[in-house]
Amino acid sequence: MLYVMTMIAYKFRFYPTSAQEQALCKMFGAARWAWNTCLAWRSAAYTLDGESVSGMSFSKELTWLKTLEPFSWLKEIPTVVYNQALRDQDKAFSAFFAKRARYPKFRRKGGPESIRFQLNQRTVMSNFRDGELLKLHGLGKIDVCWSRKMGGVPKMVTVRRDASGRYFVSMTVETVVDPLPQKTNAVGIDVGLKDIVVTSDGMKTGNPRHLRKAEKKLKRAQRQASRKVKGSNRRKKAVLKVAKLHAKVADTRADFLHKLSTGLIREYQIIAIEDLSIKGMARGRLSRSVADAGLGELRRLLTYKAEWYGRNLVVIDRWEPTSKVCSECGHKMDSMPLTVREWTCPECGSDHDRDVNAARNVLTAAMVGRTKGSAQSAKARGVEGSGAVPPVTARNQPR
Ligand SMILES: [Zn+2]
């Protein structure tokens, strides 16, 4: 059996003491200062002298700056905070030069903030115990809400404050994932608004009421915020409220999609979904943002979980009129308005649930393929996950 070594990222909320909150505020400010000053220095050095300097050379300048009276405040912050920000900037520049990212931007006060700490692996025993203890340089013991064990020791800890003022630590550990035993079944899924997911087997997830409620609240808060005078205190308060509700909606949806994707991966060997842009074309403008955010996230989760557990994700990236075609006989209807939830095929007489029928067509498109069934067409359809698609015939398709 094949084992997959993979990096898993964990994110936990934490509650700083007021002293820690003050210290963090200074650290965030210092990291932002180092980032912005170095960025300005870099850009100037390049445009004026055609010279390229790195974050590490700025770090040396920093040591000198600290000896000057106007910059004595720099000494209050642990050096690691500056150095990590500068290292991150070096990485951002490498990504830019490799054309993987845009030119690094200046950091703005009041936006999301983050700093990173390297955990010294020699002294890690006294600073980190999985699910129990985390101590950070200059902050001391962190009151982390450990929701689970990570099964490893992180090398790096990122501390974040989001726009709504919540604090998080993120850590990445390397873990072995055991693939699940191979299966021979397959499923097609349709993503929508009424049900977040409908499968070709007829499973409907619904749209959790608490998520819908949170979304409604968010919309109302957004409307209210937009009516307040720009720059006013009321506006600031309303914007913070929007940020908080936004975070809540995102968390609720993420949690739901996590459970959903794990369930699908456990249950099926091959999972077929439609590509985001295709789905967007098939729908009106109004419903796009909400459902698409869900589909994009679901695809991301399914992609890496398929990789971990040895499953196959097939993404249909061709235009397929999944709602209009009868999944039994292939008869294509001229139109299929969104209001039609159930219909009967005039050709073969099959009764269809709109979404289940669409999900079945997604599965068919994935298995048969409109293209000529070669290895190349499998690639064109975007087979993701490890290994080749095992042979699945119409016989072992659950219908
Ligand atoms: Zn039919």
Side-chain angles (χ1 to χ4, degrees):
M1 187 168 259
L2 227 137
Y3 292 94
V4 185
M5 283 299 274
T6 184
M7 300 298 288
I8 304 183
Y10 292 90
K11 182 170 141 189
F12 303 106
R13 191 160 180 189
F14 77 96
Y15 296 90
T17 62
S18 58
Q20 282 173 336
E21 199 160 7
Q22 276 174 20
L24 276 165
C25 193
K26 277 188 184 170
M27 288 179 184
F28 288 141
R32 195 184 336 112
W33 178 87
W35 177 280
N36 288 346
T37 315
C38 181
L39 185 55
W41 185 58
R42 262 178 139 127
S43 307
Y46 186 76
T47 44
L48 295 177
D49 306 329
E51 200 184 325
S52 83
V53 291
S54 71
M56 284 303 105
S57 34
F58 183 78
S59 172
K60 286 188 195 109
E61 302 290 322
L62 203 59
T63 318
W64 171 71
L65 278 179
K66 281 182 193 170
T67 62
L68 305 178
E69 173 54 26
F71 292 102
S72 58
W73 61 272
L74 287 170
K75 283 187 279 191
E76 288 174 35
I77 313 294
T79 315
V80 286
V81 172
Y82 302 107
N83 284 349
Q84 204 53 57
L86 297 172
R87 253 179 239 140
D88 289 347
Q89 192 172 94
D90 282 351
K91 270 190 206 154
F93 268 97
S94 321
F96 166 70
F97 290 129
K99 295 194 165 64
R100 275 181 286 117
R102 291 180 179 212
Y103 195 82
K105 278 188 192 152
F106 284 100
R107 287 189 182 167
R108 193 172 51 82
K109 196 180 171 182
E113 303 267 21
S114 78
I115 45 171
R116 300 210 293 152
F117 294 89
Q118 213 148 14
L119 280 189
N120 187 334
Q121 297 298 301
R122 274 181 302 130
T123 56
V124 77
M125 293 296 280
S126 54
N127 295 324
F128 175 82
R129 274 199 303 281
D130 196 1
E132 287 174 37
L133 175 81
L134 177 67
K135 277 191 203 162
L136 292 175
H137 193 74
L139 292 169
K141 191 171 172 283
I142 305 291
D143 183 16
V144 178
C145 304
W146 300 100
S147 46
R148 59 189 298 182
K149 285 209 171 196
M150 300 191 290
V153 178
K155 291 198 172 81
M156 193 77 83
V157 178
T158 305
V159 179
R160 278 200 184 83
R161 187 180 66 203
D162 71 6
S164 62
R166 300 178 308 169
Y167 290 86
F168 297 94
V169 281
S170 320
M171 294 169 266
T172 308
V173 295
E174 198 171 26
T175 320
V176 178
V177 180
D178 306 339
L180 293 164
Q182 284 244 332
K183 289 189 161 198
T184 52
N185 59 357
V187 72
I189 61 180
D190 183 59
V191 178
L193 285 174
K194 193 165 154 283
D195 294 282
I196 289 189
V197 157
V198 173
T199 72
S200 51
D201 289 353
M203 190 271 280
K204 293 183 175 188
T205 60
N207 190 350
R209 186 196 300 247
H210 52 280
L211 180 57
R212 251 182 3 225
K213 252 191 192 164
E215 281 170 352
K216 247 186 212 162
K217 264 192 192 166
L218 174 62
K219 271 197 190 131
R220 200 183 318 135
Q222 276 168 336
R223 267 201 310 275
Q224 280 168 351
S226 67
R227 280 201 291 265
K228 304 272 189 287
V229 182
K230 269 188 189 165
S232 69
N233 267 336
R234 281 162 177 262
R235 169 92 169 201
K236 267 183 210 154
K237 251 190 202 168
V239 167
L240 184 65
K241 193 178 169 192
V242 168
K244 278 186 180 164
L245 286 169
H246 221 285
K248 177 147 195 233
V249 168
D251 284 356
T252 314
R253 185 190 288 129
D255 186 53
F256 178 80
L257 291 177
H258 248 299
K259 285 174 187 151
L260 182 65
S261 54
T262 301
L264 287 167
I265 290 282
R266 286 198 176 283
E267 193 68 27
Y268 301 99
Q269 181 61 40
I270 301 175
I271 298 166
I273 59 170
E274 276 176 296
D275 190 50
L276 184 63
S277 54
I278 300 303
K279 193 73 192 170
M281 267 198 280
R283 266 198 311 271
R285 252 185 148 187
L286 205 81
S287 55
R288 218 177 264 184
S289 59
V290 185
D292 285 359
L295 180 55
E297 178 65 3
L298 185 65
R299 178 176 169 178
R300 193 183 68 80
L301 295 171
L302 285 172
T303 302
Y304 78 75
K305 287 179 186 178
E307 186 83 37
W308 286 0
Y309 296 114
R311 299 295 200 225
N312 308 90
L313 179 68
V314 184
V315 180
I316 315 297
D317 63 355
R318 289 165 49 89
W319 165 248
E320 305 281 347
T322 49
S323 314
K324 284 188 197 169
V325 174
C326 168
S327 58
E328 285 296 324
C329 71
H331 176 74
K332 189 176 160 192
M333 304 290 280
D334 290 333
S335 74
M336 185 58 64
L338 269 169
T339 46
V340 178
R341 306 309 310 171
E342 279 165 17
W343 56 286
T344 305
C345 174
E347 194 67 32
C348 69
S350 308
D351 293 324
H352 290 303
D353 173 287
R354 179 200 180 87
D355 299 331
V356 176
N357 180 61
R360 284 184 179 169
N361 283 330
V362 169
L363 177 61
T364 310
M367 303 323 295
V368 184
R370 302 289 141 150
T371 42
K372 317 241 156 14
S374 63
Q376 194 211 341
S377 74
K379 205 174 166 211
R381 290 200 310 274
V383 177
E384 291 172 20
S386 57
V389 181
V392 174
T393 58
R395 262 179 300 123
N396 33 20
Q397 307 257 328
R399 267 289 162 94

